[in-house]
Amino acid sequence: MTGLLPAPRPALDDRTGPGADGLNFVAIDVETANARRGSICAIGAAVVRDGAVVSTHSWLTRPPASLDHFDGINVALHGITPDMVADQPSFAVRLDQLLEVTGGLPFVAHNAAFDIGALREACVAVDREWPTTDYACSLIMARRALDLISYRLPMVAAECGVALAAHHEAGSDALACAHVVLEVARRRGADSLGGLLTGLQVLTGRLEAAAWQGCRSTSSYTGPELPDVAADADPEHPLYGQVMVFTGALSIRRQDAWDTVARCGAVVEKGVNKRTTMLVVGDGFAGHDPADFWTGKAAKAVHWREKGHRIEVLTEGDLIDLLAETRTSGVRDVVPA
């Protein structure tokens, strides 16, 4: 294990360099070949300077050799096949291209824990240092700025009046993420990314060569002591303090799902009620269309929301993404020489 955790993060506006002033950032998105986050097969980027998208990029890439098998469920989501990437540049080459177009600007991603985690794992797989960058999460921003039943990118984009041309196409998702951040900034009257994050009480994430700290809300759980959760649960994990209900069939055993979220500090209950904060819907529920939330089990969440209780509906994929990292900071075990 090498290095110490980064120092506490100042707001972006308190730093100098690219992105310190104005709405300057690069929205990114990655698609993966299989359940391993490092199996990156596509990278998208939308470069924002002074509050305007100035360039967009979408690259296919060969996943790292140790992670390069393609699962059918992933192919069904993004349509990328092994043949499509066979002659594409390696991840290491594409990473260099990404860093070149970003020019030191901070990254933003919708569910940055997944995308930044994917970059970390892919770098380890190809024996590359982690790039050094600040980053923010538009999913966390949306949860702080909007009151929605789902914060999946299609739902957030629709609320913000942002076109999402092709969900799970990396360039399209990156562009939608960029415009979501710009719209949230407009609504909040923020003229810089740092000012927007400060106003939303969100701390920037930080990735360095040997250590990382996640982007997170500053309002950690301050409620009563939680029953039946792991004593060592990270109080900054997005599931800590949530009251969760599961419905429908999942690809994992229900008991395993309960145990996993409890280790992250969530409380599991069997029925949706006024205490519920998150409902996980299985049975292949996609949650792309607002009409989905008026049918089946998700309608219960709509009922309680109409009574003034804030409940978020998650798909199984959303849950898996939230569970992809059980920590909100860490160090790299092995750093390239």
Side-chain angles (χ1 to χ4, degrees):
M1 189 170 290
T2 304
L4 299 175
L5 290 178
R9 295 150 288 178
L12 288 172
D13 286 345
D14 295 334
R15 287 192 274 264
T16 59
D21 298 306
L23 279 164
N24 300 309
F25 60 90
V26 179
I28 66 167
D29 180 76
V30 304
E31 300 296 329
T32 57
N34 56 65
R36 291 290 297 274
R37 289 181 301 172
S39 63
I40 295 174
C41 59
I43 301 172
V47 181
V48 176
R49 293 187 182 275
D50 296 324
V53 176
V54 298
S55 66
T56 59
H57 309 268
S58 186
W59 300 294
L60 294 178
T61 183
R62 298 195 315 273
S66 60
L67 304 171
D68 64 356
H69 67 279
F70 279 71
D71 287 345
I73 188 170
N74 294 66
V75 173
L77 280 176
H78 50 56
I80 301 169
T81 65
D83 288 344
M84 292 170 65
V85 303
D87 296 325
Q88 294 293 324
S90 68
F91 165 74
V93 171
R94 291 302 196 197
L95 178 62
D96 287 338
Q97 289 180 276
L98 174 64
L99 297 178
E100 182 179 357
V101 302
T102 59
L105 293 176
F107 289 163
V108 178
H110 201 76
N111 189 15
F114 176 85
D115 295 90
I116 300 300
L119 292 179
R120 293 202 319 268
E121 184 173 294
C123 285
V124 170
V126 300
D127 200 31
R128 283 279 298 264
E129 282 192 348
W130 292 339
T132 297
T133 183
D134 294 311
Y135 66 92
C137 179
S138 60
L139 174 63
I140 293 175
M141 293 186 223
R143 285 188 173 125
R144 297 307 303 259
L146 309 172
D147 183 10
L148 303 176
I149 196 167
S150 168
Y151 295 93
R152 305 187 71 250
L153 183 58
M155 301 288 286
V156 174
E159 164 63 22
C160 291
V162 170
L164 179 54
H167 190 29
H168 292 300
E169 193 284 313
S172 176
D173 283 357
L175 181 60
C177 171
H179 282 299
V180 162
V181 174
L182 292 175
E183 174 60 15
V184 171
R186 185 193 68 80
R187 295 185 186 188
R188 304 287 295 199
D191 59 6
S192 70
L193 181 60
L196 176 61
L197 295 171
T198 298
L200 293 173
Q201 295 184 294
V202 174
L203 291 177
T204 58
R206 177 73 175 171
L207 181 63
E208 297 181 350
W212 64 276
Q213 284 187 318
C215 175
R216 62 178 178 82
S217 166
T218 60
S219 56
S220 298
Y221 179 76
T222 57
E225 183 177 349
L226 299 172
D228 302 323
V229 298
D232 59 351
D234 182 353
E236 295 176 357
H237 192 278
L239 294 182
Y240 193 93
Q242 303 288 350
V243 179
M244 302 183 68
V245 175
F246 291 76
T247 187
L250 304 175
S251 62
I252 59 176
R253 291 176 59 245
R254 179 70 61 83
Q255 186 64 54
D256 291 340
W258 289 348
D259 293 344
T260 303
V261 300
R263 285 195 294 271
C264 293
V267 173
V268 177
E269 295 189 342
K270 292 189 175 181
V272 177
N273 54 59
K274 63 184 180 181
R275 294 185 301 276
T276 306
T277 60
M278 285 185 168
L279 170 67
V280 179
V281 182
D283 293 329
F285 177 76
H288 292 314
D289 188 326
D292 294 343
F293 297 88
W294 291 93
T295 59
K297 301 293 185 179
K300 291 183 179 179
V302 174
H303 167 78
W304 283 107
R305 282 179 57 84
E306 289 177 340
K307 293 182 177 294
H309 301 285
R310 189 162 180 161
I311 299 177
E312 180 179 350
V313 175
L314 306 177
T315 68
E316 182 179 2
D318 297 332
L319 176 67
I320 290 171
D321 285 348
L322 284 170
L323 294 174
E325 287 182 348
T326 56
R327 299 171 298 153
T328 56
S329 64
V331 296
R332 181 164 173 168
D333 292 331
V334 178
V335 180

